[in-house]
Amino acid sequence: MKTRIGILGYGNIGKGTEIAVADSDDMELAAVFTRRDPDDVKILTAGVPVLSADVIEDWKDKIDVLVLCGGSATDLPVQTPKYAKLFNVIDSFDTHAKIPEHFSNVDAAAKEGGHLAFIAVGWDPGMFSLNRVYANAILPDGKDYTFWGKGVSQGHSDAVRRIKGVKNAKQYTIPSEEALEAVRSGKNPELKTRDKHIRECFVVLEPGADAAMVEKEIKEMPNYFADYNTVVHFIDEDEFIKDHSGMSHGGFVFRSGKTGVNKENKHIIEYSIKLDSNPEFTTSVIIAYARALKKMFDEGARGCKTVLDIPPSYLCRQSPEELRSQFL
Amino acid sequence: MKTRIGILGYGNIGKGTEIAVADSDDMELAAVFTRRDPDDVKILTAGVPVLSADVIEDWKDKIDVLVLCGGSATDLPVQTPKYAKLFNVIDSFDTHAKIPEHFSNVDAAAKEGGHLAFIAVGWDPGMFSLNRVYANAILPDGKDYTFWGKGVSQGHSDAVRRIKGVKNAKQYTIPSEEALEAVRSGKNPELKTRDKHIRECFVVLEPGADAAMVEKEIKEMPNYFADYNTVVHFIDEDEFIKDHSGMSHGGFVFRSGKTGVNKENKHIIEYSIKLDSNPEFTTSVIIAYARALKKMFDEGARGCKTVLDIPPSYLCRQSPEELRSQFL
């Protein structure tokens, strides 16, 4: 029997989840729930109902894993504990500093409801966290580095768009090649904020706006840009639409460690991703973990778990025998 | 109480295990067992006995995890099942094609003895296997690439040393930069053997040997070199000892996959390692898994397992709470 997936929230993550389910022959999409008027939400999969989030409880016995596709700022802190009482749930909560609190809330709710919940599933947190943990376990004496990009930062793009005279803007976070090379070479550099990432902005001005003023305002903006090397490009709307509508992203996780009687041997572990679609990669991770969730729930696991708790083989469709002969 | 580690076989892997245990404050080395005369084996750790492998059974209750440090060709296929009846064991068996058979033998023996065994722990098989499995689970529609090196291939070095007129030789396997770049760029190239790796040989000749003949014999050697682009350097013995005595190695695992309604989005996952000491990195992986083995044995796990079966958090000294707040 296929694992029945429900989706709550049909933005980029909801749509990506739908696509990932369609690519998984052991899963089927049961229903999409929305807080909008369901008539306004058109999904890709024929024959799957789009329903108001108000009726979600009626689906308690018709969904194996509910994927929560809301935002981390205000949606998920409320939704994940709420729905973990009713369903097995999985979210991509990504406010790193609040993960312990979110974990406690979701764990209590899932245990109360007799369900299993996975939180913080995606690439960071998610695949990057896994790589930090594996690499730290292997090389206890070492240094960690995480770089993000090249990719769009939504928060920084919003900040530029709020400047007077700016019609539209995209901000790319770009890891510094020099910093990457220093880490790769085993130099274990001490990197300041400014050393790690460059911020590149593509800006469409309102008619008559003062480019020099806008550029100055961007570069001096505290927290967002003042601590970085920032490059600003002014482009016209056509170019903006043509070249800057994508959702690509990426990043790097390094561990640089030492072993040996006199710590004379250096080792570098590097994990990197380069993604055409940030939301589709994130939801591909989520759906692999939804598979693991169903298996662990069937085996009796309850409460909240993260990627750190899940045996890798549980993510796969293949049997343990197939995995050992194909991949080990 | 510390996890008590035993070592069977004191070559490069045995010594690396000893060093990794010394770096782990939750472990202690109980004893080293050897098939040689114990008086001929000098170890690094003061106060730890070196004993004949013949008396190993007396240590049944004094060792939590026995690390088997023999070779994959003839030692481990016999040793791992044999000792899994008496001890919890871990090995770095690396003959990929024979893993299913080895698994069955070890699983039966470990279950018979009421023990837990981990096999094929290291970097390939091991960390590379993990990365293949995670990446395949996330991107089911894609292509895998594994490159090895730059590093010494023992088998190829031996083959060169067997040529008449060769006094000493080291062979490095080097991934082709061009092939790496083609994979990284998402081109999904079809790579032949010759395209993926270059073989570079450093050769010390016997006095009076014919360099041209030796070079020809290397380059035309079937299986070992004939299918590769091979570069041969002749050097003197001093340079050989100075520059080619190391045990560095490395490698790359890629998954290049597609997602999207029309498979329009490409994603590249790349994992790579660059190691000054191949055996010390391998044993660092083994010791992290020895920690997991002890935990899983205490929880009741029995039989044979591989890295694919182990939750990542089990490798770590830190508590689940610490892992979530530090690494997630």
Side-chain angles (χ1 to χ4, degrees), chain B residues 97-112:
Chain B
K98 294 194 176 163
I99 286 175
E101 183 190 337
H102 190 56
F103 183 92
S104 298
N105 295 340
V106 176
D107 192 49
K111 281 176 179 157
E112 189 190 322

Side-chain angles (χ1 to χ4, degrees), chain A residues 56 64 97 123 212:
Chain A
I56 200 167
D64 296 308
W123 57 269

Side-chain angles (χ1 to χ4, degrees), chain B residues 82-101:
Chain B
K82 176 177 172 184
Y83 293 110
K85 290 184 193 162
L86 302 170
F87 294 92
N88 294 323
V89 296
I90 188 163
D91 79 20
S92 56
F93 184 77
D94 67 359
T95 312
H96 291 264
K98 294 194 176 163
I99 286 175
E101 183 190 337

Side-chain angles (χ1 to χ4, degrees), chain A residues 265-279:
Chain A
N265 292 314
K266 277 191 210 169
H267 309 283
I268 311 278
I269 303 173
E270 175 174 354
Y271 177 83
S272 71
I273 55 175
K274 201 167 62 185
L275 315 173
D276 275 358
S277 168
N278 183 1

